[in-house]
Amino acid sequence: MLFRSSSKLNLNRKIYARKCEKVILNTHQKNSFLNENHIQGEDKSKVKLGLLYGGELICLMTFCKSRFNNNYEWELSRFANKKGVNVVGGFSKLLNWFRENYDGNIVSYADRRYSNGNVYLKNGFEIIRVNSPSYYYVDKN
């Protein structure tokens, strides 16, 4: 997990969300940022929220209609900080902005290979279920 090592070792630059400007992103901005900074890359989200610092996009959160659970209107699809940056409070700032402007409940998923999901619990989510591990492919090259 080399892509996470600087964050886990506290080597990333810290920027506080309160110093950032909230922006609504277009699809190109969102896809470009996710392909560069999120392990799963771009998504098919309808709502694309970001934080700018000094005019630079450093944090992003996206939402789509819930794909797998009809009990929820929205799915928090992606959250990402720019590589080498930790946006302290970025998750809660973007989530609260979404909640202020959109109606309906939210579901999300955490890949427990990379995250324990604590950011969700700290922001009012409840654990519905922990799924058993799934298969994945490794490219030897």
Side-chain angles (χ1 to χ4, degrees), residues 19-100:
K19 296 183 176 190
C20 296
E21 174 188 355
K22 297 183 287 190
V23 293
I24 296 173
L25 303 168
N26 65 42
T27 300
H28 174 73
Q29 292 169 309
K30 180 262 303 180
N31 286 344
S32 178
F33 188 87
L34 287 174
N35 287 332
E36 179 68 28
N37 298 288
H38 195 282
I39 191 168
Q40 292 176 298
E42 63 188 67
D43 65 0
K44 302 289 184 195
S45 56
K46 293 184 178 207
V47 179
K48 307 164 269 297
L49 308 176
L51 295 177
L52 297 180
Y53 182 77
E56 178 183 16
L57 182 60
I58 60 165
C59 186
L60 173 142
M61 183 177 281
T62 66
F63 297 86
C64 60
K65 294 295 180 185
S66 180
R67 299 173 297 158
F68 307 115
N69 191 328
N70 293 330
N71 296 321
Y72 297 88
E73 287 81 25
W74 294 101
E75 180 179 322
L76 192 166
S77 178
R78 301 278 193 276
F79 174 75
N81 290 314
K82 182 177 176 150
K83 287 181 184 174
V85 176
N86 285 351
V87 182
V88 179
F91 187 96
S92 60
K93 184 168 186 158
L94 291 173
L95 180 62
N96 289 335
W97 188 26
F98 177 84
R99 286 176 171 159
E100 290 166 6

Side-chain angles (χ1 to χ4, degrees), residues 4-21:
R4 294 278 187 199
S5 62
S6 63
S7 179
K8 297 289 184 191
L9 295 172
N10 271 339
L11 299 175
N12 284 358
R13 189 173 91 173
K14 287 186 177 139
I15 297 173
Y16 293 91
R18 66 179 175 266
K19 296 183 176 190
C20 296
E21 174 188 355

